[in-house]
Amino acid sequence: QQQVKQSPQSLIVQKGGISIINCAYENTAFDYFPWYQQFPGKGPALLIAIRPDVSEKKEGRFTISFNKSAKQFSLHIMDSQPGDSATYFCAASNNSGGSNYKLTFGKGTLLTVNP
Amino acid sequence: DTEVTQTPKHLVMGMTNKKSLKCEQHMGHRAMYWYKQKAKKPPELMFVYSYEKLSINESVPSRFSPECPNSSLLNLHLHALQPEDSALYLCASSHRYDRVYQPQHFGDGTRLSIL
C-alpha cells in the first residue's frame, strides 16, 4: 500500500512536444506529492509539488495535474526542450502524522527530448 | 547550483578501509537525511537527523555510521563496506522533519565504489 507506480519507464519526445508522466498511488493518507528532476551525475532537484486540495499547479512549462478520486497525478512538460532530458521521479508522503520525512518514490522515467 | 554541498564527489575504497562522506547546508534547515541510490533506481532513505539527533535509522547495517556535529554538517562514516554498497550517496535537508509539507533538497551526491 506504500507504493507509487510511475509510467512510462522511458519516454522519447520531439522538441516542442508535450511530455506526460503519470503516477498512481494506493495509500489514501498520502497528502504531499513532489516531483524531482535528476540529471546524470547530479542529485534530484525539486521541480514542483502539489497538495490534494488543488487539482492543478503550474510553474512555467511544468504542470502537475492531480485527481484525488482516481489517486493519480501527472507531470506535463509543455514545449519540451533537449535540456529537459533527465530522469523524473514522482514521490508522495504522508504528513498527517506530523512528519514528512518518508518520501515514497516512483521508479523513475527517463525522458529524452530529441532536437 | 545546489545549496547542499557534498564532498568528495567520487570515492574509491577497499573493503578494509575507513572513510567518511561529508554534507553541508547553510539554509538553516534542522532536518538532514542520508539516502543511497543505485543506478536507474530511486533514492532509498537511510538516516534522518532532526536538531542534530538521530531520529530515524531505516535498518541500515552498522558499517554505516552517521554523525551530525552541528546543524549545518552531516557525516557518514564508512567501514568494512561490501561491493554491493557501491552507489551514489545523497544528502538532503529540509526545514524540519516534523513540520509538514516541507520539501527535501538534495545535494549532488558522492559516487562511492568499493573494490
Side-chain angles (χ1 to χ4, degrees), chain A residues 37-50:
Chain A
Q37 178 190 56
Q38 186 172 23
F39 293 106
K42 298 290 188 181
L46 180 67
L47 198 57
I48 188 173
I50 197 169

Side-chain angles (χ1 to χ4, degrees), chain B residues 25-39:
Chain B
Q25 58 89 13
H26 294 287
M27 295 181 282
H29 290 172
R30 301 313 298 269
M32 296 185 76
Y33 311 75
W34 280 115
Y35 285 84
K36 173 183 178 179
Q37 186 179 28
K38 301 285 269 185

Side-chain angles (χ1 to χ4, degrees), chain B residues 19-91:
Chain B
K19 297 286 185 183
S20 297
L21 310 184
K22 178 183 281 189
C23 173
E24 192 166 2
Q25 58 89 13
H26 294 287
M27 295 181 282
H29 290 172
R30 301 313 298 269
M32 296 185 76
Y33 311 75
W34 280 115
Y35 285 84
K36 173 183 178 179
Q37 186 179 28
K38 301 285 269 185
K40 302 186 187 298
K41 299 288 187 184
E44 298 174 30
L45 182 66
M46 300 174 71
F47 302 103
V48 181
Y49 271 82
S50 176
Y51 289 87
E52 296 92 71
K53 296 273 192 295
L54 181 63
S55 300
I56 305 290
N57 177 340
E58 293 280 287
S59 303
V60 179
S62 60
R63 57 186 184 268
F64 295 91
S65 176
E67 177 195 22
C68 191
N70 60 56
S71 60
S72 300
L73 281 176
L74 187 66
N75 298 320
L76 186 63
H77 302 297
L78 314 172
H79 174 55
L81 294 194
Q82 303 298 308
E84 61 265 27
D85 297 322
S86 297
L88 181 68
Y89 287 85
L90 295 162
C91 174

